[in-house]
Each structure stands twice: as structure tokens, then as C-alpha cells.
Amino acid sequence: MKLTRRGLLLICGLLALSTVAQAARIKTAEDLIAAMRKKYANTWYKNTIFKQVTTDIDKDGSKKEAIWYEAISMPGRLRIDFDPVRDGNGILFANDKIYTFKDGKLASSRALIHPLVLLAFDVYFLPVDQTVAKLKQLKFDLATLHEDTWQGRPVYIVGAKAGDMHSPQFWIDKQRLYFVRMFRPTGKDGVLTSETQFNKYERLGGGWIAPEVIFMIDGKTTTTEAYSEMRANVDLDNGLFDPTKWTTAKPWKP
């Protein structure tokens, strides 16, 4: 069935009105988190797996590449196996902790809330009050919210006033309600500024994923991540996210 020009205009008008109505409802950071969860709570994929090429860039411009295999299960679980997987090296984020493994054995662990997992994935699954509590623990000022434009698209910015590109803050696409950018102080005494970008979003399993991630310090790129072979809602062994089963859980990648 072919849409008439009038029909197309009507659809565009309705979409525009919907966006305006949504914006009118979002006045606080809590409103934004609630809107994000409501928009995708019934459709966002429950897990995803992908291959990642991680490129570290030294100060002299030299680059070093590594292949990582990642599995994310919402909420709050991310497993990274370094290639070659058989060596048993990698990182696990679970239970608001980070576990590091070397040669198949636990090398270290400590408490950690992963801000990127929280803002790009968990926000669509956790109760709003839990997400808000974690964001406060990460020292985002949820009382400060303003709007701007990023890569040609309107965004909400939580945690900083206009012109402040150093304070802890996260940026959310205004229409699609996904995470696109974050700034946080880093380095000794927090004098440096770390920036993270989630770019080139594409649809995946009822939600979205950004296959390009860029990490910067004071405007200089230090690491890039490129995702490929992305799949959603796959059959994953829960043991993959249990630190006691790092080498015994059924692998998703040989």
C-alpha cells in the first residue's frame, strides 16, 4: 500500500507532536531516566554478544590492536574475553564489582559501578530509583540538566551547565533516548578531562547499539573500539557471569 503525500505529512506531524510532548514532560534528570526506561522497557534486547577490535593509541601516535569478545547481560553484567580465549585472560563486571582474570585465575577484584553499562544498557531494565542511586554514587549532579546539540542531533545533558565540559556529565539523544557522550574528571587531582563517545548507532533486537566507541583525554583520542558480529537475545550460560565459573561456564565463543 502506497502512502499519499498527505499521509506522509500526517505521520511526520504526529511524530513531531510526540517528540514535543515527550520534551515537555522531561524537566529533571529523574524524568529523563524514567522516559528512557519507559520507551524501551518492553523491547530492548536482554543480552548481546559481539567481537571488538580495541585500538590503543600512544602519545607518539603508534597504535596497538587487540581483539576482545564481549557478552553483556542486562542488568549489570559484562564479560570480556581477550583473544586468544583459551588463555583465560579477561575482565568480568558483575555485582557492581570488577574481576580481573589472568591465565584462567582470579587476579584481582574491587567494587565498581560501570557507568557505560549503566547508561547504555541497564537504564532500560533497572527500576528508576536504582539507576538514580547509582548515578549519584558516580557523582553526577542530577539537579543540573540542560539541552544542546551533538553531531547534529538535540541532546539532554545531565550533570553540568552549558559550557562546562569537565564536570561529571552524561549526554542522551533527545529523540531516541540513548546514551551518546560522557565527560568525567580524571588524572591526578582530577585536572584532566576524560571523554567517551558512543557513535554510529544502529538498530539491534528492539533496541540500539553503538558499534564505535571513542575514549579521549583532554581532547586526544587514547582508545577506540569497533564492534562487529553483533547479535542480540542469544542463549547464554549464566555461569559466564559468575566469577567462580570463569573457565568452566559454557563459552559463547570458541
Side-chain angles (χ1 to χ4, degrees):
M1 179 179 175
K2 250 180 139 179
L3 278 174
T4 64
R5 183 170 179 273
R6 183 179 178 183
L8 286 169
L9 288 172
L10 179 60
I11 290 172
C12 291
L14 290 171
L15 288 172
L17 286 172
S18 175
T19 301
V20 169
Q22 171 185 281
R25 292 192 299 268
I26 296 176
K27 300 298 183 183
T28 67
E30 288 82 357
D31 291 342
L32 177 57
I33 298 304
M36 293 174 72
R37 191 181 192 284
K38 181 178 180 181
K39 186 175 180 69
Y40 295 108
N42 297 320
T43 60
W44 200 276
Y45 46 89
K46 294 178 175 59
N47 63 49
T48 179
I49 57 175
F50 51 87
K51 176 182 177 181
Q52 175 178 306
V53 176
T54 303
T55 304
D56 291 321
I57 305 169
D58 290 335
K59 292 180 179 179
D60 63 4
S62 59
K63 298 180 180 181
K64 182 179 179 181
E65 287 190 356
I67 295 176
W68 298 358
Y69 295 101
E70 303 203 15
I72 304 175
S73 178
M74 282 68 79
R77 304 189 297 176
L78 164 62
R79 177 180 174 125
I80 303 173
D81 289 275
F82 301 151
D83 190 57
V85 175
R86 63 178 178 275
D87 289 351
N89 300 320
I91 303 171
L92 176 66
F93 298 91
N95 315 311
D96 286 340
K97 290 184 178 181
I98 176 174
Y99 305 86
T100 303
F101 295 86
K102 185 172 177 57
D103 299 326
K105 297 180 180 179
L106 180 64
S108 65
S109 66
R110 61 183 173 88
L112 179 74
I113 296 173
H114 196 313
L116 302 179
V117 172
L118 178 62
L119 287 165
F121 302 99
D122 289 356
V123 66
Y124 306 112
F125 292 86
L126 291 173
V128 172
D129 60 342
Q130 288 188 28
T131 298
V132 167
K134 289 176 185 288
L135 290 170
K136 288 180 178 178
Q137 284 183 260
L138 291 167
K139 302 190 183 304
F140 291 107
D141 177 10
L142 301 188
T144 304
L145 180 148
H146 73 279
E147 298 181 25
D148 207 323
T149 302
W150 167 243
Q151 296 182 342
R153 296 183 60 83
V155 293
Y156 294 107
I157 300 173
V158 176
K161 296 179 180 179
D164 178 355
M165 308 288 274
H166 178 72
S167 297
Q169 60 193 274
F170 58 90
W171 297 32
I172 303 296
D173 185 281
K174 186 174 181 179
Q175 178 188 2
R176 295 172 179 166
L177 294 182
Y178 52 53
F179 165 80
V180 293
R181 201 180 193 192
M182 182 176 71
F183 289 91
R184 298 177 86 190
T186 192
K188 186 178 180 181
D189 301 322
V191 297
L192 304 178
T193 304
S194 71
E195 176 184 352
T196 306
Q197 299 178 11
F198 273 37
N199 296 325
K200 301 180 180 178
Y201 267 93
E202 57 186 65
R203 280 286 190 179
L204 180 70
W208 298 84
I209 195 165
E212 178 186 83
V213 179
I214 298 175
F215 298 91
M216 309 175 80
I217 301 291
D218 280 359
K220 294 183 179 180
T221 301
T222 57
T223 302
T224 63
E225 298 177 351
Y227 302 170
S228 63
E229 302 176 27
M230 298 167 288
R231 288 189 286 152
N233 296 322
V234 297
D235 184 17
L236 293 177
D237 181 355
N238 273 326
L240 286 168
F241 307 100
D242 183 339
T244 68
K245 299 179 180 179
W246 178 257
T247 58
T248 59
K250 180 182 178 182
W252 69 267
K253 187 73 179 179

